[in-house]
Amino acid sequence: GESVGLHLPTLSVQEGDNSIINCAYSNSASDYFIWYKQESGKGPQFIIDIRSNMDKRQGQRVTVLLNKTVKHLSLQIAATQPGDSAVYFCADFNQAGTALIFGKGTTLSVSS
Amino acid sequence: GAGVSQSPSNKVTEKGKDVELRCDPISGHTALYWYRQRLGQGLEFLIYFQGNSAPDKSGLPSDRFSAERTGESVSTLTIQRTQQEDSAVYLCASSPQGLPGELFFGEGSRLTVL
């Protein structure tokens, strides 16, 4: 079916460490994936996206890796900062290709 | 403003009452989405509008939920005969053309049904 989930509900890191947030998906036909960040009391904010014809895409301090063989993607945040503390969601298309289906999220806590 | 605007930001209502939530998308964005987010949960897709096409209502949880959009502008999500399980944050998002691509979210309308 179409479901997107994350391996861990919470992740705690020290400031300056690298963070890795994982996500597994079940829809093998998915060809587009996207990561969002949601700070407390706010709407989700776009971080980075990747199409299935790519294995890796880099942004500013973030990298998304896609492993289609095991239907897994990850978000890597370099030199994590307290401002990175938020809930991170991965998402992919629904079967109709009309909407994003979100996982439950990983809460990242960064301590100084 | 330049972003997606939602109102009210908070709404407390009694069980059985009807509520209307409003979304003003970013000007020029043809696609508009409504999502529901229960406390501590992910986003649950409700409905999608794209231009003048028929909306994708596949995510609406019951016939108590409905939404309208006037052209490519304002959208209203209506919940009739509210139940306690309707308590959630209702998020609206818009995008220039739809997927694939970034969805721009509003801050949400927090609904509490007593």
Side-chain angles (χ1 to χ4, degrees):
Chain A
E2 53 180 47
S3 66
V4 181
L6 295 173
H7 292 303
L8 290 175
T10 61
L11 177 65
S12 297
V13 300
Q14 290 283 113
E15 182 178 1
D17 287 350
N18 296 332
S19 302
I20 299 176
I21 300 171
N22 295 305
C23 181
Y25 63 94
S26 60
N27 181 7
S28 56
S30 291
D31 60 1
Y32 177 75
F33 304 89
I34 193 166
W35 283 96
Y36 275 84
K37 168 187 179 183
Q38 187 176 28
E39 297 175 0
S40 181
K42 296 189 175 181
Q45 261 185 304
F46 171 86
I47 302 173
I48 193 167
D49 58 3
I50 187 167
R51 291 180 183 263
S52 60
N53 61 353
M54 303 172 70
D55 297 323
K56 178 179 179 179
R57 189 168 188 214
Q58 288 185 295
Q60 188 176 15
R61 281 200 307 117
V62 295
T63 301
V64 56
L65 299 177
L66 176 62
N67 185 330
K68 296 179 285 294
T69 302
V70 295
K71 292 188 283 188
H72 178 274
L73 66 159
S74 65
L75 178 71
Q76 299 179 1
I77 305 173
T80 315
Q81 303 168 0
D84 295 326
S85 295
V87 181
Y88 289 80
F89 296 96
C90 63
D92 71 344
F93 279 137
N94 63 353
Q95 292 283 3
T98 54
L100 290 176
I101 302 300
F102 287 79
K104 290 187 177 181
T106 289
T107 300
L108 175 65
S109 298
V110 183
S111 52
S112 304
Chain B
V4 175
S5 178
Q6 292 188 245
S7 61
S9 55
N10 277 287
K11 175 72 176 178
V12 180
T13 191
E14 293 180 346
K15 178 181 172 181
K17 298 284 178 103
D18 297 351
V19 296
E20 282 189 355
L21 307 176
R22 176 187 169 107
C23 173
D24 281 278
I26 294 172
S27 178
H29 282 195
T30 62
L32 186 147
Y33 304 80
W34 283 98
Y35 283 84
R36 177 170 70 178
Q37 186 174 31
R38 291 195 166 111
L39 186 63
Q41 301 296 311
L43 282 71
E44 179 185 357
F45 167 69
L46 297 177
I47 189 168
Y48 159 64
F49 295 92
Q50 173 59 278
N52 294 318
S53 302
D56 176 357
K57 303 180 182 180
S58 60
L60 294 178
S62 77
D63 58 9
R64 295 187 297 105
F65 288 72
S66 63
E68 293 183 347
R69 187 182 186 194
T70 307
E72 294 184 355
S73 61
V74 172
S75 175
T76 303
L77 176 69
T78 301
I79 309 173
Q80 295 179 309
R81 305 181 301 282
T82 51
Q83 304 294 313
Q84 288 185 330
E85 68 257 26
D86 299 334
S87 296
V89 175
Y90 290 82
L91 289 157
C92 176
S94 69
S95 74
Q97 297 175 352
L99 293 170
E102 179 181 353
L103 303 189
F104 296 80
F105 282 87
E107 302 273 274
S109 292
R110 179 176 298 278
L111 174 66
T112 303
V113 182
L114 301 177

